[in-house]
């Protein structure tokens, strides 16, 4: 031990104060930036050779504040089973990143490894749970906490430190594409679910009656990680159900609806600010929200993370990026996400737009979180081996229970149960034989074995005495050549003894889609009707309505 900040017996506050006193302005700026996409860190997942882009960024910041999406696998990242990091190899990749960052940080400051986990880890072989709109049907906070605890253990074994989890949005206009990320429209339900998520991921990591800064850091554990709840706040209130749109809401309604949610985040390691504005003030520069309300009133102790490239969107308000960076930092944003804006904080300080004390506050909170999670003493993780395999099997079993309790049942008028007997069963619809249509947005690439577990395939297996046939029918959104597919359905169903339609929407992303800089899908020419940036004008079933109604 050479410096006080390396003394594990000191309080986190004392260690942060000492470390900040030794750091340069540029090193502090490096700590509040989460600029890189994690999948751009390596040339490939086999050789694990670092890219020049990653090396240059580490040198620029004298380390790394946080690294997002090291294991993210989906069409936007273009990561799949051919080029991605498998679950059993994740720990090795996380350790290699930490080793490089530590070696190139004057003060040996580790990086925060951050992953998406809205309904399970968005990484290869991660367990994909039902989306929130389904899990809200459970009204079961105990099961929510149990499944969150399993997610935390899964990510911890992989070397992840922070999970990004959607809990704070409410469905106020179901035309909004991100409605599936919400537990419903009830703020009390969402608040209780948020508290269950925090308890499941973090355990007693942060307690509302204790200032964690005044406590010594706890040893790192594979039983808990930090969770960042998103989004803060009122994103589902946007006018017309438009993603990232403006929110017009009075103070009384805000207090009645959103104060319970703000209170529910007090023990979370972090919250993510929302893209929307509230009465004309973007959340990312809303100091009364992010500082007074969140921290002073509700006792929140964690970090405030920006949403993806959200700070760059402030260009419509400020003439320069340093001005936008200063406004966000002063408002209470502690950590960026992919934007260019927070890279200009040095200019903001040099030009007198923001005091370095504000930078110390933000960098100090990021460092405090690293101390809290035990990263300074234990930056590396051990090979999980059979432990991860057993955990994934346990998670699969609990996921079945979650899925069952997430279902909305309708009245059985004597049709069920279906008997296994010689008969013809026609399974039809766009979601009958397409697994991704059922899994929700922010879903990782699935193995071929998983992809075979469709409703059509399951019915075939369950009723071997029956002739089970399948037809697509109308697609989710595409209306081209639908006459032919509908004609096939009509022909197939004509002599069927039982017809099982599998309809509904889909937020399934495909690898041939175009994406925006924040990962949201470009809504032009896509065959999906929900998900981030995919809002709809009507709530009716999609595809060729004229064709469907005429038959």
């Amino acid at each position: 031990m050479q410096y006080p900040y390396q003394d594990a017996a000191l309080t986190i506050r004392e260690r942060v104060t000492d470390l900040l006193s030794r750091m340069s302005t540029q090193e502090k700026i490096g700590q509040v930036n989460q600029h890189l996409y994690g999948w751009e860190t390596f040339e490939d997942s086999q050789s694990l050779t670092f890219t020049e882009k990653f090396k240059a960024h580490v040198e620029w910041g004298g380390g790394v504040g946080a690294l997002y999406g090291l294991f993210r696998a989906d069409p936007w990242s273009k990561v799949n089973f051919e080029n991605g990091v498998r679950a059993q190899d994740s720990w090795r990749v996380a350790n290699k990143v930490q080793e490089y960052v530590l070696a190139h940080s004057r003060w040996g400051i580790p990086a925060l490894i951050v992953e998406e986990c809205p309904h399970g880890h968005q990484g290869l072989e991660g367990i994909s749970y039902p989306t929130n709109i389904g899990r809200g049907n459970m009204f079961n906070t105990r099961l929510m906490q149990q499944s969150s605890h399993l997610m935390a253990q899964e990510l911890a074994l992989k070397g992840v430190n922070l999970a990004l989890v959607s809990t704070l949005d409410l469905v106020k206009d179901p035309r909004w594409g991100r409605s599936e990320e919400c537990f419903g429209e009830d703020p009390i339900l969402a608040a209780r679910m948020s508290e269950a998520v925090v308890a499941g991921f973090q355990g007693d990591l942060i307690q509302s009656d204790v200032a964690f800064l005044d406590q010594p850091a706890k040893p790192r554990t594979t039983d808990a990680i930090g969770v960042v709840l998103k989004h803060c706040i009122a994103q589902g209130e946007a006018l017309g159900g438009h993603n990232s749109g403006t929110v017009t809401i009075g103070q009384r309604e805000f207090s009645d609806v959103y104060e319970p949610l703000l209170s529910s985040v007090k023990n979370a390691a972090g919250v993510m600010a929302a893209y929307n504005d509230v009465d004309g003030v973007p959340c990312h520069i809303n100091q009364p929200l992010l500082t007074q309300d969140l921290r002073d009133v509700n006792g929140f102790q964690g970090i405030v993370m920006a949403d993806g490239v959200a700070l760059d969107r402030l260009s419509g308000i400020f003439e320069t990026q340093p001005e936008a960076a200063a406004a966000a930092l002063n408002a209470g944003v502690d950590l960026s996400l992919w934007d260019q804006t927070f890279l200009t904080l040095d200019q903001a300080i040099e030009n007198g737009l923001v005091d370095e004390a504000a930078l110390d506050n933000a960098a100090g909170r990021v460092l405090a979180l690293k101390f809290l999670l035990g990263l300074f003493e234990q930056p590396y993780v051990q090979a999980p081996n059979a432990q991860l395999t057993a955990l994934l099997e346990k998670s699969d079993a609990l996921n079945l229970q979650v899925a069952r309790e997430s279902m909305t049942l309708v009245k059985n008028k004597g049709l069920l149960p279906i008997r296994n007997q010689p008969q013809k069963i026609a399974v039809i619809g766009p979601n009958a034989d397409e697994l991704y249509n059922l899994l929700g947005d922010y879903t990782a690439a699935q193995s071929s074995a998983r992809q075979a577990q469709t409703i059509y395939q399951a019915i075939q297996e369950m009723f071997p005495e029956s002739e089970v046939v399948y037809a697509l029918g109308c697609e989710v959104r595409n209306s081209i050549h639908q006459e032919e597919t509908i004609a096939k359905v009509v022909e197939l169903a004509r002599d069927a003894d039982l017809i099982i339609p599998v309809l509904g929407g889909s937020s399934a992303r495909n690898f041939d889609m175009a994406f925006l800089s924040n990962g949201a899908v470009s809504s032009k020419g896509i065959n999906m009707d929900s998900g981030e940036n995919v809002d709809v004008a009507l709530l009716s079933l999609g595809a060729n309505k004229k064709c469907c109604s005429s038959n």
Side-chain angles (χ1 to χ4, degrees):
M1 183 175 64
Q2 188 175 2
Y3 302 108
Y5 78 87
Q6 296 171 316
D7 186 354
L10 296 180
T11 67
I12 293 175
R13 190 188 304 276
E14 291 170 325
R15 298 177 74 180
V16 168
T17 300
D18 178 69
L19 181 52
L20 281 174
S21 71
R22 303 177 188 282
M23 296 170 66
S24 68
T25 299
Q26 188 62 31
E27 287 171 329
K28 297 172 188 175
I29 293 173
Q31 287 303 302
V32 301
N33 269 278
Q34 185 177 208
H35 179 64
L36 296 179
Y37 301 124
W39 55 90
E40 296 179 340
T41 302
F42 296 102
E43 296 290 352
D44 61 77
S45 61
Q46 302 303 317
S47 66
L48 297 184
T49 301
F50 290 113
T51 62
E52 293 303 316
K53 185 175 185 178
F54 173 69
K55 294 177 181 178
H57 185 65
V58 173
E59 182 179 1
W60 170 84
V64 169
L67 184 62
Y68 169 97
L70 188 61
F71 308 123
R72 178 166 175 163
D74 69 330
W76 176 44
S77 61
K78 298 293 186 282
V79 175
N80 54 35
F81 276 87
E82 295 181 0
N83 61 358
V85 179
R86 303 293 290 265
Q88 286 286 357
D89 294 326
S90 299
W91 69 279
R92 185 179 293 107
V93 177
N95 283 353
K96 192 172 179 67
V97 166
Q98 293 288 19
E99 181 181 28
Y100 187 89
V101 170
L102 288 167
H104 292 81
S105 166
R106 276 200 308 161
W107 309 108
I109 303 174
L112 288 168
I113 306 297
V114 183
E115 290 289 310
E116 291 283 4
C117 197
H119 55 103
H121 182 209
Q122 197 178 8
L124 297 179
E125 299 165 312
I127 302 300
S128 183
Y129 292 81
T131 57
N132 282 356
I133 200 66
R135 288 186 291 177
N137 288 341
M138 299 190 305
F139 295 95
N140 189 336
T141 55
R142 178 188 58 80
L143 192 55
M144 195 70 187
Q145 182 173 336
Q146 286 179 323
S147 58
S148 296
H149 189 208
L150 291 177
M151 292 182 211
Q153 291 174 305
E154 175 188 340
L155 290 168
L157 289 172
K158 294 175 178 177
V160 178
N161 313 124
L162 284 181
L164 308 184
V165 182
S166 302
T167 70
L168 301 180
D169 297 325
L170 301 177
V171 183
K172 291 308 187 78
D173 189 330
R175 296 174 298 177
W176 182 44
R178 302 191 77 167
S179 294
E180 65 179 52
E181 297 181 45
C182 311
F183 294 114
E185 66 176 347
D186 186 345
I188 303 303
L189 171 63
R192 298 294 86 80
M193 288 296 201
S194 295
E195 291 167 351
V197 167
V198 173
F201 270 96
Q202 295 185 182
D204 62 354
L205 196 65
I206 299 177
Q207 301 175 59
S208 56
D209 58 344
V210 177
F212 78 79
L213 285 174
D214 295 325
Q215 304 293 318
K218 298 178 182 179
R220 184 173 182 176
T221 174
T222 58
D223 203 46
I225 64 171
V227 65
V228 177
L229 303 182
K230 56 184 189 178
H231 307 84
C232 184
I233 195 92
Q235 192 167 228
E237 297 271 0
L239 290 176
H242 291 292
N243 192 46
S244 307
T246 191
V247 169
T248 55
I249 184 172
Q251 185 58 48
R252 182 201 62 78
E253 188 177 1
F254 184 91
S255 296
D256 288 350
V257 175
Y258 289 101
E259 283 300 337
L261 280 169
L262 291 176
S263 178
S264 72
V265 309
K266 65 180 64 175
N267 292 345
V271 297
M272 177 180 285
Y275 283 123
N276 58 280
D277 66 69
V278 178
D279 287 340
V281 181
C283 291
H284 285 77
I285 56 172
N286 192 330
Q287 188 179 49
L289 170 65
L290 299 181
T291 300
Q292 279 86 20
D293 203 342
L294 195 61
R295 295 191 185 280
D296 299 342
V297 175
N298 288 292
F300 173 68
Q301 302 183 57
I303 64 168
V304 173
M305 184 185 296
D307 207 340
V309 300
L311 299 184
D312 290 345
R313 296 185 180 189
L314 297 174
S315 59
I317 301 175
F318 301 98
E319 291 187 359
T320 68
Q321 286 185 327
E323 289 177 296
L329 191 66
N330 278 326
V333 173
D334 301 309
L335 185 62
S336 73
L337 188 58
W338 315 323
D339 55 80
Q340 299 291 324
T341 298
F342 250 33
L343 299 179
T344 67
L345 277 171
D346 57 339
Q347 300 173 46
I349 293 172
E350 290 171 6
N351 296 334
L353 300 173
V354 64
D355 292 334
E356 188 159 350
L359 175 61
D360 286 350
N361 287 337
R365 282 192 279 262
V366 173
L367 292 171
L369 189 54
K370 295 180 180 184
F371 282 119
L372 177 69
L373 295 172
L375 299 184
F376 277 83
E377 278 68 55
Q378 295 171 273
Y380 306 117
V381 290
Q382 301 297 316
N385 301 323
Q387 187 178 358
L388 181 58
T389 300
L391 178 67
L392 294 177
E393 291 175 355
K394 182 179 180 180
S395 301
D396 249 342
L398 188 71
N399 194 14
L400 179 59
Q401 183 182 352
V402 173
R404 285 170 172 165
E405 295 199 22
S406 295
M407 292 180 181
T408 299
L409 303 179
V410 296
K411 186 175 182 180
N412 178 21
K413 297 183 178 181
L415 179 63
L416 300 177
I418 301 172
R419 300 187 183 282
N420 183 23
Q421 60 188 20
Q423 61 180 325
K424 183 176 181 180
I425 302 176
V427 185
I428 61 174
N431 295 345
D433 198 34
E434 180 51 69
L435 182 72
Y436 285 114
N437 285 19
L438 306 175
L439 297 184
D441 203 357
Y442 283 88
T443 294
Q446 301 292 301
S447 67
S448 56
R450 289 280 191 188
Q451 292 184 54
Q453 295 175 337
T454 66
I455 292 177
Y456 166 56
Q457 297 293 334
I459 292 174
Q460 280 187 311
E461 294 175 7
M462 291 183 67
F463 303 104
E465 297 295 321
S466 300
E467 177 191 2
V468 182
V469 294
Y470 159 77
L472 173 68
C474 286
E475 295 190 54
V476 172
R477 192 164 174 175
N478 175 42
S479 60
I480 301 174
H481 304 306
Q482 296 293 280
E483 288 81 0
E484 295 92 327
T485 57
I486 288 294
K488 183 177 180 180
V489 166
V490 173
E491 180 65 28
L492 195 70
R494 183 170 285 122
D495 61 345
D497 299 297
L498 179 65
I499 300 173
I500 302 178
V502 189
L503 307 175
S506 170
S507 56
R509 304 176 178 202
N510 297 322
F511 276 83
D512 58 355
M513 287 178 174
F515 297 92
L516 306 180
S517 58
N518 69 336
V521 67
S522 171
S523 58
K524 298 179 180 179
I526 59 172
N527 196 27
M528 54 191 286
D529 60 1
S530 60
E532 186 171 1
N533 200 47
V534 186
D535 312 315
V536 295
L538 302 171
L539 295 179
S540 57
L541 290 174
N544 195 327
K545 301 177 185 65
K546 179 180 178 182
C547 177
C548 294
S549 62
S550 65
N551 288 281

